[in-house]
């Protein structure tokens, strides 16, 4: 069964600094996809970045980058130059097996950016 | 603007009430999802519809009844709920093109449900 583990319930970072949010996963499927979502207090889940298991390079999207270490089964999110608007819950997710595109989510990390 | 809307945004209901949650996607997607987000728990997938047919039901109690009349609309009918059903209910949509494809799910803002 697929499983996502996020070990950091909460993280704090100073504005303009970089922060790494941890995510480890477990799967027996050789083909999988990893996602990061941001959930502000408004409740909406916002897609940030995607990494495919066969992608040769780490994914990057603006200030977001994914540190993908396949052998360690980790997919950490790195946010550079943090902004106050980055304060939110962050969820790591994995696309599971089966015909439907089921996403398995971790418990999330609450990031607080301090001025 | 995510292209996925949900109504109502907040709902308070008694255990004997019947209510419905509505989700609408304007993205031309062919798959829609209901998730439940309880405090301090991971998001739980409830239902998946692909091409308007239910393809997954994660052992959800029968007091939750989904309906997908077309590819743009998804409903969650609620009846005789319990206080532990209080949660944020999120709808999502994606273009389901098979397991080999990368298809992010776009989420709506959610309905905050409180069962008294």
């Amino acid at each position: 069964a697929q499983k996502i583990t996020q070990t950091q319930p909460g993280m704090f970072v100073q504005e303009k600094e970089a922060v790494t949010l941890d995510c480890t996963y477990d799967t027996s499927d050789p083909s999988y996809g990893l996602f990061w979502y941001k959930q502000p207090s408004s409740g909406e889940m916002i897609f940030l970045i995607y990494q495919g298991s066969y992608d040769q390079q780490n994914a990057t999207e603006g200030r977001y980058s994914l540190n993908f270490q396949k052998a360690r089964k980790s997919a950490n999110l790195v946010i550079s130059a943090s902004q106050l608007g980055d304060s939110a819950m962050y969820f790591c997710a994995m696309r599971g097996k089966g015909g439907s595109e089921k996403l398995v989510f971790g418990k999330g990390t609450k990031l607080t950016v301090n001025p | 603007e995510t292209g996925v809307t949900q109504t109502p945004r907040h709902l308070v209901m008694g255990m004997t009430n019947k209510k419905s949650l509505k989700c609408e996607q304007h993205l031309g997607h062919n798959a829609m999802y209901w998730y439940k987000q309880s405090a301090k728990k991971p998001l739980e997938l409830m239902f998946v519809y692909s091409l308007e047919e239910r393809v997954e039901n994660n052992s959800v109690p029968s007091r939750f009844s989904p309906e997908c009349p077309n590819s743009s609309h998804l409903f969650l009918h609620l009846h005789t709920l319990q206080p532990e059903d209080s949660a944020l209910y999120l709808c999502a949509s994606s273009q389901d093109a098979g397991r080999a494809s990368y298809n992010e799910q776009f989420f709506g803002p959610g309905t905050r449900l409180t069962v008294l």
Side-chain angles (χ1 to χ4, degrees), chain B residues 39-56:
Chain B
K40 299 181 181 179
K41 291 178 68 175
L43 264 74
E44 301 171 72
L45 179 66
M46 300 176 72
F47 300 103
V48 180
Y49 277 83
S50 180
L51 298 173
E52 300 159 43
E53 289 189 12
R54 189 192 305 181
V55 296
E56 186 148 352

Side-chain angles (χ1 to χ4, degrees), chain A:
Chain A
Q2 278 73 27
K3 184 179 179 181
I4 294 284
T5 302
Q6 293 180 257
T7 58
Q8 304 156 315
M11 288 285 287
F12 293 88
V13 65
Q14 287 298 120
E15 194 177 7
K16 300 181 183 178
E17 293 186 351
V19 63
T20 298
L21 306 183
D22 295 342
C23 172
T24 58
Y25 59 91
D26 189 22
T27 181
S28 56
D29 195 350
S31 176
Y32 51 89
L34 295 156
F35 300 77
W36 276 93
Y37 283 87
K38 172 185 177 182
Q39 187 180 38
S41 57
S42 59
E44 179 183 327
M45 297 284 281
I46 303 167
F47 166 76
L48 295 178
I49 196 167
Y50 167 84
Q51 180 84 44
S53 58
Y54 292 118
D55 292 345
Q56 295 296 314
Q57 294 186 332
N58 287 345
T60 60
E61 284 288 346
R63 295 186 298 112
Y64 304 108
S65 61
L66 203 151
N67 184 1
F68 182 46
Q69 299 188 43
K70 196 170 182 178
R72 289 184 163 187
K73 292 190 175 179
S74 73
N76 298 339
L77 177 70
V78 180
I79 305 175
S80 62
S82 297
Q83 301 173 357
L84 296 178
D86 293 334
S87 294
M89 285 291 293
Y90 288 81
F91 293 92
C92 180
M94 177 168 58
R95 185 177 64 226
K97 294 182 70 173
S100 60
E101 293 299 318
K102 177 180 175 178
L103 282 180
V104 176
F105 284 83
K107 291 187 177 182
T109 296
K110 183 175 182 180
L111 176 67
T112 302
V113 180
N114 295 316

